[in-house]
Amino acid sequence: MNGKFLDQLQRKALVYDIERGKATGILSEPWQTDTCLGDWHYQRSIFENHQYKTAATVIPMLADVVSKNGNLMLSVPVRGDGSIDSDEVKIVGDIGAWLKVNGEAIYATRPWIVFGEGPATKNFVKGQFDGQRDADTKPFTPGDIRFTQSKDGKTLYAIVLAFPGDGKVTIESLAENSAQWHGNIRSVQMLGTNGKLKFTRDADGLHLKLPDKKPCDIAFALKIGL
């Protein structure tokens, strides 16, 4: 059972639901957001004017929700005959293609010590029902990163929400003597590519040089062995 506007005691019995929104940080109990590509009921005008949420909007939303111990339930409105239109087919296909490459950083993962870093972690636009608005309104930067980890805690995933123009990424949360991680970093791999990435680590962060060829077009995930 799901419920909106739940207090802490109620969240132990019901799944906290933030309609068209998301939590502001990691929640101790699992929660979910339910949102839609367009309107809850099919509207021809949204298709004709190409006003759906795109995969480039949904994927960062998904990464943010999962990094905060949440689940994304995404509605794809159907026409009267049960079919979906060509824009929706493309959006769903693009999301699926991204998950085929980066799904390891999403499925069966758990929140890390912090949910993320970067300028977008400081943006707060209130949602319609609670928490933050589901889709961010400002463009992401390569410094906007969301974290998940494997269930055994041995693998950290850093989902970088924008590709850097210079091919370089710095993860500040993994700096030497970081409050988040004091241990060693064994390896770094970019999901969808072969081989391990070279990296350096200093007081400013973990510094990486990405491969020239991108495995996907929207965001990418780094698999970090701890």
Side-chain angles (χ1 to χ4, degrees):
M1 293 180 65
N2 300 331
K4 299 184 179 72
F5 302 106
L6 303 181
D7 61 31
Q8 292 299 321
L9 181 59
Q10 291 169 328
R11 293 180 195 180
K12 294 182 180 299
L14 305 174
V15 176
Y16 177 37
D17 179 275
I18 308 177
E19 182 178 337
R20 287 197 184 273
K22 56 191 180 184
T24 57
I26 298 173
L27 300 186
S28 57
E29 302 292 340
W31 59 279
Q32 86 169 16
T33 179
D34 50 296
T35 193
C36 188
L37 290 182
D39 205 347
W40 289 120
H41 299 280
Y42 190 83
Q43 286 194 32
R44 186 189 300 272
S45 61
I46 294 178
F47 167 55
E48 292 173 342
N49 295 310
H50 308 293
Q51 294 175 326
Y52 289 120
K53 288 182 176 71
T54 64
T57 297
V58 173
I59 287 167
M61 183 198 314
L62 172 64
D64 187 81
V65 167
V66 174
S67 73
K68 297 172 180 176
N69 203 26
N71 177 71
L72 171 61
M73 183 168 66
L74 182 66
S75 172
V76 181
V78 299
R79 293 182 285 206
D81 62 359
S83 64
I84 62 176
D85 61 46
S86 57
D87 280 9
E88 293 173 306
V89 170
K90 183 180 187 309
I91 295 164
V92 172
D94 289 345
I95 295 169
W98 187 87
L99 285 168
K100 188 172 288 187
V101 174
N102 300 284
E104 183 180 337
I106 297 293
Y107 297 120
T109 59
R110 299 293 183 269
W112 191 49
I113 301 163
V114 294
F115 74 86
E117 65 181 49
T121 61
K122 301 174 178 63
N123 296 337
F124 186 90
V125 179
K126 185 161 177 53
Q128 291 177 262
F129 295 92
D130 210 356
Q132 290 178 294
R133 180 176 171 176
D134 57 351
D136 289 80
T137 55
K138 295 183 178 179
F140 293 106
T141 72
D144 287 309
I145 300 171
R146 297 295 177 268
F147 299 111
T148 62
Q149 65 175 329
S150 59
K151 286 193 272 189
D152 62 11
K154 295 180 180 179
T155 303
L156 172 67
Y157 298 98
I159 305 172
V160 185
L161 302 183
F163 281 90
D166 59 2
K168 297 178 181 179
V169 170
T170 294
I171 304 176
E172 296 179 0
S173 298
L174 295 177
E176 288 181 338
N177 301 318
S178 163
Q180 282 74 44
W181 185 251
H182 296 290
N184 294 326
I185 294 175
R186 296 183 292 105
S187 63
V188 182
Q189 178 186 354
M190 188 178 192
L191 292 184
T193 65
N194 296 320
K196 296 178 181 179
L197 302 181
K198 293 182 179 180
F199 62 87
T200 59
R201 194 181 183 196
D202 58 26
D204 294 324
L206 180 73
H207 307 285
L208 302 150
K209 180 72 171 69
L210 304 179
D212 293 333
K213 188 176 181 180
K214 299 192 297 184
C216 50
D217 294 324
I218 296 172
F220 61 92
L222 300 170
K223 180 178 180 178
I224 303 168
L226 301 179

